[in-house]
Amino acid sequence: MKLLTLPWRAPRATLLPAAFYRRQWALLAVLAALFYAALGDGRLDHWLAAFSFDPLSQHFPLQHNWWLEYVNHVWLKDVSIVIGVAALGLGVFGPRFGLDAEAARRWRLACAAMVVGSLSVSLLKQASPYHCPWDLLEFGGHAPYVPLLASLPAGVPAGKCFPAGHASGGFVLMALYFVYAGERPRLAQAWLWGGLAFGLLMGVGQQLRGAHFLSHTLWSGWVVWAAMLAVNQLLGRR
């Protein structure tokens, strides 16, 4: 049975050229330098966080906002999980409904890239000394702020808040770019920019609550894209 009109039907994959990966790694290197130069000292992060902080009550008024705490923090993450499960389902069961073997493989690869991207952020968070804004002394918390690549003072427990784990749930949707990049570039670009926008939306919601800085969100997107590039470059060959 051939379901030729399925909108999620992946085309027969066309291998992305090596030049594509060279450009992407070069771009990531440039972005890393820009992120560190603009955000490494924390001044821009703190300036932005101050807009959603109430100095009189010493807390972030939107920390328990229903829309941000449940719609942005829970429901949008569930949407990302559903899309990931759907990608896995197409990769495993797609051939039973008309997908050719190569198309199914591309969906499995997309699912693997999503898992690796998310896991990379989670592992970095667990090893991170940096605290969330609402844990910092200047925002009513208990911990001192340390710039990126600096060490915590002795006796201060690790914050484990960098990079932004929640935003990574949106950024991983960029993995579907690689499903269509060979023959349907417009659809591929839609997934790329859509995943980027989804991750930024989720990250901004957390910033308004005091859960993350802007740098946490941007570095999360950087890590996710780097991880997914590596997966596709290493495993994307036929």
Side-chain angles (χ1 to χ4, degrees), residues 78-102:
D78 290 343
V79 170
S80 180
I81 293 173
V82 168
I83 293 175
V85 172
L88 178 61
L90 288 168
V92 175
F93 302 108
R96 298 184 182 182
F97 299 97
L99 287 186
D100 58 64
E102 178 60 24

Side-chain angles (χ1 to χ4, degrees), residues 118-141:
S118 181
L119 185 61
S120 298
V121 171
S122 295
L123 291 175
L124 285 173
K125 280 194 64 167
Q126 290 303 309
S128 167
Y130 310 110
H131 289 79
C132 304
W134 58 33
D135 290 331
L136 298 177
L137 290 169
E138 52 265 61
F139 293 117

Side-chain angles (χ1 to χ4, degrees), residues 6-13 99-100 102-104 106-107 179-180 184:
L6 284 177
W8 52 78
R9 182 178 177 82
R12 291 185 177 276
L99 287 186
D100 58 64
E102 178 60 24
R106 298 299 291 183
W107 283 109
V179 176
Y180 296 103
R184 301 177 67 179

Side-chain angles (χ1 to χ4, degrees), residues 39 43-53 207 214:
L39 301 166
R43 286 184 293 177
L44 180 57
D45 277 338
H46 283 69
W47 180 75
L48 291 172
F51 284 101
S52 54
F53 178 71
Q207 289 167 228
L214 173 64

Side-chain angles (χ1 to χ4, degrees), residues 123-207:
L123 291 175
L124 285 173
K125 280 194 64 167
Q126 290 303 309
S128 167
Y130 310 110
H131 289 79
C132 304
W134 58 33
D135 290 331
L136 298 177
L137 290 169
E138 52 265 61
F139 293 117
H142 63 278
Y145 173 76
V146 293
L148 187 64
L149 301 183
S151 301
L152 282 172
V156 178
K160 300 182 180 181
C161 193
F162 173 90
H166 182 61
S168 70
F171 289 130
V172 295
L173 298 184
M174 294 188 292
L176 275 67
Y177 165 85
F178 294 95
V179 176
Y180 296 103
E183 295 180 1
R184 301 177 67 179
R186 289 186 178 180
L187 185 55
Q189 290 291 329
W191 277 112
L192 176 63
W193 293 106
L196 180 62
F198 203 49
L200 289 173
L201 174 64
M202 295 168 74
V204 168
Q206 288 295 83
Q207 289 167 228

Side-chain angles (χ1 to χ4, degrees), residues 104-119:
R105 189 186 72 87
R106 298 299 291 183
W107 283 109
R108 292 195 299 272
L109 185 61
C111 183
M114 294 174 75
V115 171
V116 172
S118 181
L119 185 61

